[in-house]
């Protein structure tokens, strides 16, 4: 489950240091190589809740194995790609292929917890979160090392052995179909619309309207100009149609009725969106500036992010079993504010210790925020839709990444200059402030069940 869940974050972050070498090798400018980022995010944002819904309907094993196979195919295509168009296609396939791991893992964890009578498998949830956080942060470092050893194509080739491992281990160890029953929310209130649902067919109309909403939004974010405001109008139109469709559908793709009545879950999605807007602005913006503005190599830029990776792991390991979800989010938001302020002090010839200090401070929210939001969702979501709800959490995460990508392009233009980095830092500062406010006003976080494992033994099978 951990290997499957890292496929998406490793491919979303490893590309950060590969954009410049790919552009040089294929004769593409920054605007064109940016599609390598957006293609994955778009496919992932649509695919995560879709595959999560399929996990809820058909069980996790089948979808896990199909996703792993698709990831391996994308790795081969990307490794052999002759031009940027084929490379973008490989990233789209990667986006859909890597969608199954996380919702399948969350579904299996919840079903096993119910089977064993465990209130909250805090250790497993922590391990899953730490794995994803670690890979997301170490991705640029790993990418730099791979590029140094085998060129940019190796950042696609790494998917081949990972996919094979998922296929073999998933086939051997993952259980067959498991069924989760709906239950109450974390604060004891019944979920609106929860109960038995017919699952004979997929809501294709809802899926297409959801996809249209995200595609039009992404196309605007890729080149946000007043003359492209019609894309925002299209986004609102498609989004409204999607909401109306899902309210009337017998078995909706995303049950907006449940979400509308589950404000704590909506708040978790909103926090995830703004927190990852800051996180991915740092991963992409700071990394590009290290190469263009500070003049470091791809390997050097990746190595400078190692402190973020190390601090994130330590913080997650130390706090994973602690029940203070609200406290983790507050500390994470404050750390983001401090790190963004530190970026304003960075110059063309900034000392290495200052750059390392920024990376260290960013490690705190990296180790706290994702874990806290994941634990909150575990208790807030309808168990019968755990796959779709978990997938939608990733959708909001990558919506934040899309905004971060658009902001990075807007502030940097053709070159990642120091003045552009400072503008991006102010944008990140505003987003981090919104994250802090959303956390402070959410009183439901105090009612999230304490993530402590019960001592009830699992029944013999």
């Amino acid at each position: 489950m951990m290997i499957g869940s890292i496929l998406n974050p490793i491919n979303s972050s490893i590309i950060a240091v590969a954009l410049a070498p790919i552009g040089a090798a294929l004769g593409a400018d920054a605007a064109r190589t940016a599609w390598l980022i957006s293609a994955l995010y778009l496919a992932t944002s649509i695919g995560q809740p879709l595959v999560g819904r399929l996990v809820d309907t058909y069980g996790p094993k089948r979808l896990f194995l199909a996703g792993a196979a698709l990831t391996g195919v994308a790795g081969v295509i990307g490794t052999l790609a002759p031009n940027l168009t084929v490379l973008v296609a490989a990233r789209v396939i990667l986006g859909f292929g890597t969608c199954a791991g996380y919702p399948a893992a969350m579904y299996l964890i919840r079903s096993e917890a119910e089977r064993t009578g465990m209130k909250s498998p805090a250790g497993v949830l922590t391990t899953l979160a730490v794995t994803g956080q670690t890979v997301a942060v170490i991705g640029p470092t790993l990418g730099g090392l791979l590029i140094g050893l085998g060129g940019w194509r190796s950042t696609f080739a790494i998917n081949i052995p990972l996919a094979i491992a998922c296929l073999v281990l998933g086939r051997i160890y993952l259980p067959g179909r498991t069924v989760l029953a709906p239950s109450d929310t974390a604060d004891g209130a019944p979920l609106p619309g929860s109960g038995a649902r017919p699952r004979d067919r997929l809501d294709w109309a809802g899926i297409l309207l959801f996809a249209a909403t995200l595609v039009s939004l992404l196309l605007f974010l890729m080149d946000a100009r007043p003359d492209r405001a019609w894309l925002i109008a299209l986004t609102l139109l498609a989004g409204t149609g999607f909401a109306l469709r899902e309210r009337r559908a017998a078995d909706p793709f995303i049950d907006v009725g449940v979400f509308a009545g589950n404000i704590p879950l909506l708040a978790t999605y909103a926090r995830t969106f703004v927190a990852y807007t800051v996180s991915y602005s740092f991963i992409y913006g700071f990394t590009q500036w290290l190469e263009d503005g500070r003049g470091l190599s791809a390997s050097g830029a990746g190595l400078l992010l190692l402190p973020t990776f190390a601090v994130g792991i330590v913080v997650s390991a130390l706090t994973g079993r602690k029940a203070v979800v609200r406290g983790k989010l507050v500390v994470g938001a404050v750390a983001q504010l401090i790190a963004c302020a530190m970026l304003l002090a960075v110059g063309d010839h900034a000392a290495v210790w200052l750059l390392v200090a920024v990376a260290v401070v960013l490690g705190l929210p990296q180790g706290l925020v994702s874990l806290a939001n994941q634990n909150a969702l575990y208790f807030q979501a309808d168990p019968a839709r755990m796959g779709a709800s978990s997938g939608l959490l990733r959708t909001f995460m990558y919506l934040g990444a899309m905004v971060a990508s658009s902001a990075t392009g807007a502030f940097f233009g053709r070159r990642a200059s120091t003045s552009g980095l400072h503008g991006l830092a102010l944008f990140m500062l505003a987003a981090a402030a919104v994250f802090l406010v959303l956390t402070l006003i959410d009183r439901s976080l105090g009612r999230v069940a304490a993530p402590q494992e019960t001592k009830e033994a699992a029944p013999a099978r």
Side-chain angles (χ1 to χ4, degrees):
M1 288 190 298
M2 285 188 291
I3 296 175
S5 68
I6 70 170
L7 292 176
N8 199 273
I10 196 173
N11 279 288
S12 68
S13 61
I14 201 172
I15 197 72
V17 294
L19 293 176
I22 289 173
L26 301 181
D29 58 24
R32 293 178 62 201
T33 57
W35 276 103
L36 294 171
I37 299 174
S38 300
L40 181 83
Y41 289 157
L42 179 59
T44 298
S45 298
I46 297 170
Q48 285 281 2
L50 171 58
V51 175
R53 184 72 182 94
L54 293 174
V55 167
D56 292 331
T57 305
Y58 300 108
K61 183 172 184 176
R62 193 182 306 178
L63 273 300
F64 182 93
L65 295 177
L70 205 57
T71 300
V73 170
V76 173
I77 294 174
T79 302
L80 303 176
N83 53 52
L84 188 65
T85 302
V86 176
L87 211 55
V88 170
R91 292 281 290 178
V92 171
I93 298 171
L94 269 177
F96 283 109
T98 59
C99 283
Y102 183 70
M106 288 291 284
Y107 190 100
L108 285 166
I109 292 169
R110 185 65 186 249
S111 63
E112 184 67 5
E114 292 195 356
R115 185 189 71 82
T116 60
M118 187 180 293
K119 184 178 181 181
S120 170
V124 181
L125 286 172
T126 300
T127 303
L128 188 67
V130 169
T131 304
Q133 294 162 6
T134 299
V135 169
V137 176
I138 202 176
T141 303
L142 175 62
L145 294 175
L146 287 173
I147 291 169
L149 292 173
W152 62 264
R153 293 184 185 275
S154 60
T155 61
F156 284 84
I158 193 174
N159 288 288
I160 300 172
L162 289 175
I164 292 172
C166 286
L167 286 169
V168 173
L169 296 175
R171 182 73 179 174
I172 295 173
Y173 292 110
L174 292 187
R177 170 106 186 235
T178 56
V179 179
L180 282 171
S183 71
D184 294 344
T185 57
D187 59 3
L191 283 164
S194 61
R197 299 178 178 93
R199 298 191 176 188
D200 334 4
R201 58 185 182 182
L202 287 175
D203 174 23
W204 288 110
I207 292 170
L208 291 174
L209 286 167
F210 182 76
T213 302
L214 292 182
V215 169
S216 55
L217 177 61
L218 174 63
L219 290 175
F220 175 78
L221 291 175
M222 283 291 293
D223 187 14
R225 301 193 315 264
D227 62 332
R228 292 164 60 86
W230 63 272
L231 286 169
I232 292 297
L234 182 59
T235 300
L236 294 174
L237 182 63
T240 302
F242 169 73
L244 292 175
R245 161 68 191 179
E246 299 307 271
R247 293 287 289 182
R248 294 186 175 93
D251 186 25
F253 166 48
I254 295 176
D255 196 340
V256 296
V258 169
F259 292 139
N262 193 346
I263 302 302
L265 182 58
L266 292 177
T268 295
Y269 289 145
R271 285 193 308 272
T272 298
F273 169 69
V274 290
Y276 274 92
T277 296
V278 177
S279 179
Y280 275 97
S281 292
F282 170 76
I283 289 177
Y284 289 113
F286 188 57
T287 304
Q288 288 184 53
W289 176 82
L290 287 173
E291 295 183 53
D292 283 350
R294 189 62 172 73
L296 298 181
S297 64
S299 300
L303 288 172
L304 256 176
L305 295 183
L306 274 178
T308 306
F309 150 70
V311 172
I313 289 182
V314 172
V315 169
S316 294
L318 293 177
T319 65
R321 292 178 180 270
K322 298 187 182 299
V324 215
V325 170
R326 185 190 185 96
K328 292 176 184 176
L329 292 171
V330 170
V331 173
V334 171
Q336 283 192 344
L337 286 169
I338 294 172
C340 294
M342 292 174 69
L343 285 177
L344 294 173
V346 167
D348 289 342
H349 305 289
V352 172
W353 68 264
L354 177 58
L355 304 179
V356 172
V358 173
V360 167
V361 175
L362 253 299
L364 290 173
Q366 199 72 30
L368 293 170
V369 173
S370 177
L371 176 59
N373 281 328
Q374 176 183 273
N375 285 345
L377 176 134
Y378 181 87
F379 291 102
Q380 293 164 345
D382 177 1
R385 287 185 176 268
M386 181 57 72
S389 298
S390 302
L392 201 56
L393 184 73
R394 286 283 179 97
T395 294
F396 278 92
M397 182 175 89
Y398 288 120
L399 283 174
M402 289 180 198
V403 172
S405 175
S406 177
T408 301
F411 285 107
F412 283 163
R414 290 188 171 274
R415 181 178 176 276
S417 64
T418 298
S419 61
L421 178 67
H422 291 167
L424 183 63
L426 290 173
F427 167 79
M428 294 164 62
L429 201 62
V434 172
F435 172 35
L436 179 59
V437 170
L438 287 175
T439 301
L440 293 176
I441 64 176
D442 187 0
R443 296 184 179 181
S444 70
L445 291 173
R447 300 193 298 271
V448 173
Q452 300 295 328
E453 296 184 12
T454 62
K455 296 183 179 180
E456 299 179 31
R461 285 203 270 190

